[in-house]
Amino acid sequence: MKKRNRLLLLLLMLGNAVLAQVSTKLAAAMEEFNKDEQLKYATAALHVVDAVTGKTVYTHNAYKGLATASTLKVITAATAFDILGKDYTYQTKVGIISTHSGHHLYIQASGDPTFGSWRWKETKDSLILGRIKEAVRASGVKSFESVMINTTDWEADDDIPGGWIWEDIGQYYGAGAQGLNWRENQFDVILKSGPRIGDAVTIVKTIPYLYDYTIVSKASAAGKGTGDRSALYYPSKGKRYSELRGTIPLGENNFTVSGSIYDPAGQFAKTVIDVIKDIAIVKNNKVEVNIPEQENVNWIYTHTSPQLSEIIYWFLRKSINLYGEALLRTIALKVKGKASTSEGIEVLQQHWVDKGIDKEELHLYDGSGLSPQNRVTAHAEVMVLKYAKERPWFKEFYEGMPVYNDMKMKSGTINRVKAFAGYHQSKAGKEYIFAILVNNYSKSATTLVRKMYRVLDHLK
């Protein structure tokens, strides 16, 4: 027994010695990093703990609230796993109701962010539309007064988080979460540019076809090899069109840019009307959204989403902002009965306050990290990652984490913000949890990332 105790003591001393060496190396690396010209006007934070004991290995500005970009997604994902459960699914139901005026095709929306997504076979738009058509055919109804969509649990004016900037929300990555999401609320615009610099860029088509909505091009051609410098701007003042501004290279005939669908519920309803028109008509193509929940519905089709663990895999791997906003509003619906962003933020904050994180370490505007106004500490991110490691859903959470620099970590990038948060096991067998955030750096993001990697390399 004494021999075993001496061995354990020796191992503990060796482990502490390793941590001390790593701490010293990180301190030197961060000192050099902070002196770099790119960080002259920047703030950097790094927090590293032993993944097993939770003991702090190194900390620098760990309690400074900084913009996180997409590393915020690890907090949203962990919260969703804890509150909703890894087997959680969304259900979108299609039914028929009969009123004194006639039959109505009724959609019970659920906020499912994967509805019509191309990422799973069972969620593809063509498959869902085909099943709805067959269900309508089997019902025998040949005429509908309207398509009704119930999204009343989801606040209609809350699809775009208040902290998002105008330049982002028209792009595919700026698609907000609505009561009914369709094809990840994305579309592609196919463009053609003239042969000379300054020539107009014309719209060839959109994929899919957009109903009751157009894109107006104010873009022009730029030099060869200049790439995509265009942006789609959401409509304003009641307009039903987006504007494409900026430039694409000259001489392009099939140049694709992606935007966010302004009205996914309407787009879905009009698509359904078009798909079923050879077997059933909808009079005047009438669509009614935000209809109260109806009783005595004859349900004809139910679509069930992939499980939460699969949704979070893509949320973390491909950094899909729509999923983060949908998850944030879903946890609000689960806990408070109303799917709003503000309620979701309150639920998230309280969830982590109950686990020892100060509420002021989680100053949030969204669930994806797209808002430049989010302020979160490196300490809070590490605390969440440490908690996740001890949960029964950790395997699924960890699987979703991307790999950068041969380390399992989520990245984050917005203007002048770069961040990483994740896990790493060293060659010596030590497991670390870390978060590194940099705000207001200058010059090249690519150059900065290499320097951040050099700091993190001391965990290897």
Side-chain angles (χ1 to χ4, degrees):
M1 181 62 70
K2 289 182 179 180
K3 184 176 181 180
R4 181 173 180 272
N5 288 339
R6 286 197 299 270
L7 179 60
L8 290 174
L9 180 61
L10 178 61
L11 291 173
L12 179 62
M13 291 172 63
L14 289 172
N16 288 337
V18 170
L19 293 181
Q21 289 176 359
V22 171
S23 178
T24 300
K25 290 177 180 178
L26 286 172
M30 279 301 287
E31 183 176 2
E32 180 182 355
F33 183 63
N34 281 308
K35 289 178 180 177
D36 191 279
E37 184 67 20
Q38 280 196 272
L39 274 76
K40 185 175 181 178
Y41 304 107
T43 301
L46 173 64
H47 192 55
V48 182
V49 302
D50 183 309
V52 177
T53 66
K55 181 179 178 181
T56 299
V57 177
Y58 176 78
T59 188
H60 174 76
N61 283 342
Y63 291 90
K64 296 286 186 183
L66 299 174
T68 63
S70 283
T71 58
L72 178 62
K73 289 179 171 69
V74 301
I75 299 178
T76 304
T79 310
F81 266 131
D82 242 15
I83 292 176
L84 303 175
K86 68 179 183 179
D87 299 328
Y88 179 86
T89 57
Y90 296 86
Q91 288 195 334
T92 304
K93 302 172 73 174
V94 180
I96 297 172
I97 59 175
S98 299
T99 67
H100 66 277
S101 61
H103 299 294
H104 300 262
L105 192 62
Y106 176 71
I107 317 294
Q108 179 69 58
S110 64
D112 178 4
T114 72
F115 193 55
S117 171
W118 55 90
R119 300 182 197 277
W120 295 267
K121 179 182 177 182
E122 291 297 308
T123 63
K124 288 183 177 178
D125 56 351
S126 57
L127 186 143
I128 291 172
L129 292 168
R131 289 180 175 173
I132 292 173
K133 182 175 183 177
E134 289 309 307
V136 170
R137 189 195 307 275
S139 75
V141 177
K142 304 293 185 182
S143 177
F144 295 99
E145 300 299 314
S146 70
V147 175
M148 294 178 164
I149 302 178
N150 173 22
T151 59
T152 51
D153 285 338
W154 291 66
E155 290 188 10
D157 297 327
D158 198 31
D159 53 311
I160 302 296
W164 285 12
I165 63 175
W166 184 250
E167 199 170 49
D168 284 340
I169 62 177
Q171 319 319 315
Y172 73 93
Y173 57 82
Q178 302 192 25
L180 192 147
N181 304 296
W182 179 239
R183 297 184 78 256
E184 298 193 1
N185 299 350
Q186 290 186 31
F187 66 92
D188 291 337
V189 186
I190 311 302
L191 305 172
K192 182 178 181 179
S193 57
R196 296 176 299 275
I197 292 175
D199 281 352
V201 170
T202 57
I203 309 292
V204 178
K205 62 180 178 179
T206 63
I207 303 173
Y209 173 79
L210 298 179
Y211 297 88
D212 304 324
Y213 193 75
T214 57
I215 311 296
V216 175
S217 176
K218 294 187 177 181
S220 60
K224 280 287 186 184
T226 52
D228 181 10
R229 295 181 179 175
S230 67
L232 283 157
Y233 287 82
Y234 240 32
S236 61
K237 299 179 182 178
K239 296 176 181 177
R240 294 290 294 178
Y241 65 85
S242 290
E243 289 186 1
L244 178 74
R245 305 174 190 171
T247 65
I248 66 170
L250 58 83
E252 296 284 347
N253 291 314
N254 195 36
F255 196 88
T256 302
V257 299
S258 299
S260 59
I261 295 176
Y262 178 67
D263 178 21
Q267 176 71 19
F268 170 70
K270 291 294 179 70
T271 305
V272 169
I273 291 171
D274 209 16
V275 166
I276 68 171
K277 64 184 178 184
D278 60 331
I279 61 167
I281 64 166
V282 176
K283 295 179 182 179
N284 300 316
N285 293 339
K286 187 177 180 181
V287 176
E288 301 174 81
V289 182
N290 208 30
I291 295 298
E293 186 173 353
Q294 301 293 302
E295 297 180 352
N296 303 318
V297 182
N298 174 27
W299 298 112
I300 60 173
Y301 171 65
T302 298
H303 172 80
T304 302
S305 76
Q307 292 184 340
L308 182 72
S309 56
E310 297 180 60
I311 296 172
I312 287 180
Y313 174 88
W314 286 107
F315 174 48
L316 295 176
R317 280 292 176 102
K318 293 298 181 181
S319 218
I320 307 167
N321 294 325
L322 167 70
Y323 288 12
E325 304 318 316
L327 291 174
L328 187 66
R329 296 180 71 181
T330 303
I331 64 175
L333 183 62
K334 173 82 172 181
V335 176
K336 295 201 170 188
K338 193 70 175 178
S340 78
T341 298
S342 58
E343 296 280 11
I345 289 169
E346 287 185 13
V347 171
L348 182 149
Q349 288 173 328
Q350 190 58 52
H351 188 74
W352 297 106
V353 165
D354 293 343
K355 291 164 179 56
I357 298 176
D358 194 305
K359 182 179 179 180
E360 293 303 315
E361 294 189 65
L362 298 167
H363 185 70
L364 305 180
Y365 283 82
D366 65 21
S368 64
L370 185 59
S371 171
Q373 297 187 61
N374 291 316
R375 295 293 181 268
V376 176
T377 67
H379 169 262
E381 291 197 334
V382 169
M383 285 276 285
V384 171
L385 291 168
K386 177 67 171 64
Y387 174 84
K389 195 173 186 299
E390 299 160 359
R391 303 302 293 165
W393 40 260
F394 178 66
K395 178 182 176 183
E396 290 81 3
F397 179 79
Y398 185 79
E399 179 63 23
M401 296 285 279
V403 176
Y404 299 99
N405 193 37
D406 296 323
M407 308 173 93
K408 269 280 194 179
M409 56 186 183
K410 184 75 192 77
S411 68
T413 305
I414 53 176
N415 185 35
R416 286 180 172 253
V417 174
K418 194 68 193 177
F420 295 98
Y423 306 91
H424 187 67
Q425 183 171 10
S426 72
K427 292 177 182 177
K430 274 293 187 183
E431 295 180 61
Y432 300 103
I433 302 173
F434 61 88
I436 182 169
L437 312 174
V438 181
N439 283 195
N440 202 41
Y441 66 89
S442 61
K443 301 177 183 177
S444 164
T446 302
T447 303
L448 179 77
V449 167
R450 287 198 294 266
K451 294 169 185 175
M452 294 171 76
Y453 285 172
R454 284 202 291 270
V455 173
L456 295 176
D457 282 345
H458 291 293
L459 300 179
K460 295 181 175 180

